[in-house]
Amino acid sequence: MDGQFGARGFEGAAPVPTSGGLPSHAPVEPIGAVLEIAGSSSQVLLDPEALHALGGNPDPTIANAGQVGSQVKVRVGATWLIANVRSLKLQGEHIAAYIDFLGEGDEERLTGKLYKFRRGVTRYPTPGAPVFPVSTADLKQIYAAEDRAHVEIGTVYPTRDIRAALYVDSMLGKHFALLGSTGTGKSTATALILHRICEMAPQSHVVMIDPHGEYASAFKTTGALYDVGNLQMPYWLMNFEEHCEVFLTTSGSDRQVDADILAKCVLAAKQKNRLAAEIGKLTVDAPIPYLLSDLTQILQLEMGKMDKATDTAPYLRIRSKIDEIKGDPRYAFMFSGMLVADTMASFLARVFRLPGDGKPISIIDVSGVPSEITSVVVAVLSRMVFDFAIWSRGESKRPILLVCEEAHRYVPNERNADGSSVGRILSRIAKEGRKYGVSLGLITQRPSDLAEGVLSQCGTILSMRLNNERDQAFVRAAMPEGARGFLDSIPALRNRECIAVGEGVATPIRLLFDSLEDAKRPASDDPLFSELWRDTGGEEQILERTIRRWRAQGK
């Protein structure tokens, strides 16, 4: 083997004749040779001396040749095959490297340069074929955004000037997920991607569920901001399943009894509305306005028909829960007596930005929503997006992007499942949304806590650093084969770096996100304890104001 792949043997390999017999004009000598070939991953032997000699090359990409995560190229006929280095090990005097093929590009006959890069491999090299380092010029061709609609979000590692682009239609058409542990710059990366999309498409329709109130500061000028103060979401938009989550307190067989009673009474309350007369056969799920006072009155009347105290218990339970919600000021954004008029058209127009009036994104801050009904509020908003898409078929299409921050809270896996409707609707959007023009963006720090299959429905995955081994394994399982080499570097990524794979990128890519100006950043900076603890004075006033807000529950 030494005679074939020895350090001196590589030098004798250049220039290598191409299929046409002309000498290659590759700018650098080979750094190794192909040892064995398999379907997606193969093995090459690299020459340590050749790699060492390249270390001082002025081109940072060539200087980086042979490292884990770098790219190499192999000529087959008139094409260059591009591969990613997954792992390295010492084998005698040489370095054995496992590589994953990414795609191929044509070779310019006179210069040997690469152009017209595309995914997939049509012809494989034979063992013994020389392996060359990839240059910055090659990377520019590999990552050059095609004529398709795209947004630039950062630079390709390890270069400083090659732009990394996301293909918007492919990314949104098949959903995307942005993953990363706390503190890696996930919120800023999300804001950056959404800003770029809104700049490219100022008439877009984006709905962002913001559970921590971080994004209002990032979209002050380009977004419509809603919180419990101005959301005004009518309670009658809930379907029956969501009604049960809010109004029923029992479980087991009692819950079924209560649900039957609630269904009958809600339907009767909806039938009092004149809109019901126009529909004919009304269902309990139809979003028809009704009065909560009508509902309690019907419950009272039905209860009057019962002859035993045991029969009246379910009615009393439901009625007391409705009274409790009506009287609680925290629920006023949804259960206020002012929300009885038929405001469905204006609510959908506001939230879905139809028309956008220069503000294509609506940020829905649910941080002030009582925790007991947060998942119901998110379920209603998500279902509205999906139902709107289904019932507007036949009209001019208005695709909507639904971005869900802290997605693992709403689409939990079976281990953490709470049986809430929000998990079901988001899973359904993940599976069927693209048929109807609904795109889902999931942002999470715990991908392993997401429902099985939801991550695999995301055609584009952008993974920032993940510290937890279970999360890393989960993402590895969801990623395509050719990206495995990139995945090994996920625990070693710096802040603001990410690995992007899938439909939204030309080829798997490690990139550094652009920095975002302060006015466009979310309010998610970590507190600087060492500085803030030096601050003293005014504690009495802080306590007084805080307690007042606390008691008024934000009112």
Side-chain angles (χ1 to χ4, degrees), residues 109-161:
R109 297 288 292 183
L110 292 173
T111 62
K113 280 183 185 169
L114 171 102
Y115 70 105
K116 280 192 188 165
F117 178 79
R118 61 231 167 233
R119 267 188 186 171
V121 177
T122 48
R123 283 175 66 192
Y124 287 94
T126 52
V131 173
F132 294 90
V134 162
S135 66
T136 298
D138 293 333
L139 282 187
K140 280 188 173 155
Q141 287 297 320
I142 293 168
Y143 295 116
E146 297 166 26
D147 296 337
R148 294 187 284 164
H150 64 274
V151 291
E152 293 183 353
I153 56 166
T155 52
V156 176
Y157 173 88
T159 69
R160 294 215 175 110
D161 58 343

Side-chain angles (χ1 to χ4, degrees), residues 339-362:
L339 298 172
V340 180
D342 183 9
T343 52
M344 190 169 175
S346 63
F347 178 75
L348 294 182
R350 283 190 310 139
V351 173
F352 297 168
R353 313 308 303 144
L354 296 164
D357 297 328
K359 295 193 170 182
I361 183 167
S362 58

Side-chain angles (χ1 to χ4, degrees), residues 6-122:
R8 307 276 67 83
F10 290 131
E11 290 171 15
V16 182
T18 62
S19 55
L22 293 170
S24 160
H25 293 272
V28 287
E29 302 289 300
I31 55 170
V34 175
L35 180 62
E36 66 174 32
I37 287 289
S40 61
S41 69
S42 300
Q43 199 176 4
V44 298
L45 276 188
L46 302 177
D47 175 12
E49 285 184 27
L51 293 178
H52 182 71
L54 291 178
N57 196 294
D59 183 335
T61 312
I62 292 177
N64 205 38
Q67 292 187 22
V68 171
S70 68
Q71 281 83 36
V72 293
K73 60 183 181 180
V74 184
R75 186 187 288 99
V76 181
T79 60
W80 281 115
L81 274 190
I82 306 296
N84 185 59
V85 177
R86 187 203 305 183
S87 63
L88 301 170
K89 70 175 178 183
L90 199 60
Q91 190 166 312
E93 293 177 16
H94 310 108
I95 297 168
Y98 280 98
I99 59 169
D100 297 307
F101 290 115
L102 300 176
E104 59 189 22
D106 296 334
E107 180 192 20
E108 207 170 69
R109 297 288 292 183
L110 292 173
T111 62
K113 280 183 185 169
L114 171 102
Y115 70 105
K116 280 192 188 165
F117 178 79
R118 61 231 167 233
R119 267 188 186 171
V121 177
T122 48

Side-chain angles (χ1 to χ4, degrees), residues 77-386:
T79 60
W80 281 115
L81 274 190
I82 306 296
N84 185 59
V85 177
R86 187 203 305 183
S87 63
L88 301 170
K89 70 175 178 183
L90 199 60
Q91 190 166 312
E93 293 177 16
H94 310 108
I95 297 168
Y98 280 98
I99 59 169
D100 297 307
F101 290 115
L102 300 176
E104 59 189 22
D106 296 334
E107 180 192 20
E108 207 170 69
R109 297 288 292 183
L110 292 173
T111 62
K113 280 183 185 169
L114 171 102
Y115 70 105
K116 280 192 188 165
F117 178 79
R118 61 231 167 233
R119 267 188 186 171
V121 177
T122 48
R123 283 175 66 192
Y124 287 94
T126 52
V131 173
F132 294 90
V134 162
S135 66
T136 298
D138 293 333
L139 282 187
K140 280 188 173 155
Q141 287 297 320
I142 293 168
Y143 295 116
E146 297 166 26
D147 296 337
R148 294 187 284 164
H150 64 274
V151 291
E152 293 183 353
I153 56 166
T155 52
V156 176
Y157 173 88
T159 69
R160 294 215 175 110
D161 58 343
I162 298 178
R163 301 296 288 153
L166 293 173
Y167 296 124
V168 176
D169 296 326
S170 299
M171 182 175 92
L172 301 186
K174 295 194 174 86
H175 314 308
F176 72 94
L178 177 59
L179 322 168
S181 295
T182 307
T184 53
K186 197 165 66 282
S187 303
T188 310
T190 304
L192 171 73
I193 292 168
L194 293 179
H195 275 302
R196 294 280 197 271
I197 288 172
C198 292
E199 284 159 17
M200 188 203 83
Q203 299 303 320
S204 51
H205 310 283
V206 185
V207 180
M208 166 93 181
I209 311 282
D210 176 12
H212 301 305
E214 293 176 336
Y215 291 90
S217 60
F219 294 94
K220 286 193 290 280
T221 53
T222 53
L225 312 175
Y226 301 106
D227 58 16
V228 289
N230 66 346
L231 182 59
Q232 293 178 317
M233 186 167 93
Y235 55 88
W236 45 265
L237 285 179
M238 294 189 293
N239 66 12
F240 181 62
E241 187 184 2
E242 291 147 3
H243 269 86
C244 290
E245 276 184 53
V246 177
F247 291 143
L248 303 189
T249 53
T250 49
S251 57
S253 57
D254 283 350
R255 191 176 181 83
Q256 190 53 55
V257 172
D258 291 8
D260 292 343
I261 291 167
L262 184 63
K264 185 179 174 185
C265 296
V266 167
L267 190 59
K270 286 183 174 182
Q271 277 166 340
K272 288 193 161 193
N273 192 309
R274 58 181 176 75
L275 289 169
E278 298 166 17
I279 289 164
K281 200 152 178 60
L282 185 68
T283 72
V284 72
D285 281 333
I288 299 285
Y290 71 90
L291 289 166
L292 281 175
S293 53
D294 280 349
L295 180 57
T296 49
Q297 209 173 1
I298 292 162
L299 277 164
Q300 190 72 38
L301 285 169
E302 289 292 320
M303 189 168 62
K305 297 173 186 174
M306 299 295 137
D307 51 358
K308 291 203 301 288
T310 49
D311 294 339
T312 60
Y315 295 91
L316 289 168
R317 276 198 298 263
I318 298 168
R319 205 183 73 186
S320 64
K321 185 65 181 174
I322 293 169
D323 291 341
E324 179 193 321
I325 285 170
K326 272 168 71 178
D328 191 332
R330 297 175 307 153
Y331 289 81
F333 75 95
M334 191 172 176
F335 292 95
S336 155
M338 309 297 289
L339 298 172
V340 180
D342 183 9
T343 52
M344 190 169 175
S346 63
F347 178 75
L348 294 182
R350 283 190 310 139
V351 173
F352 297 168
R353 313 308 303 144
L354 296 164
D357 297 328
K359 295 193 170 182
I361 183 167
S362 58
I363 304 293
I364 299 169
D365 173 4
V366 294
S367 59
V369 172
S371 56
E372 309 90 84
I373 64 160
T374 306
S375 63
V376 172
V377 170
V378 177
V380 173
L381 291 165
S382 309
R383 191 177 47 74
M384 289 282 119
V385 171
F386 191 62

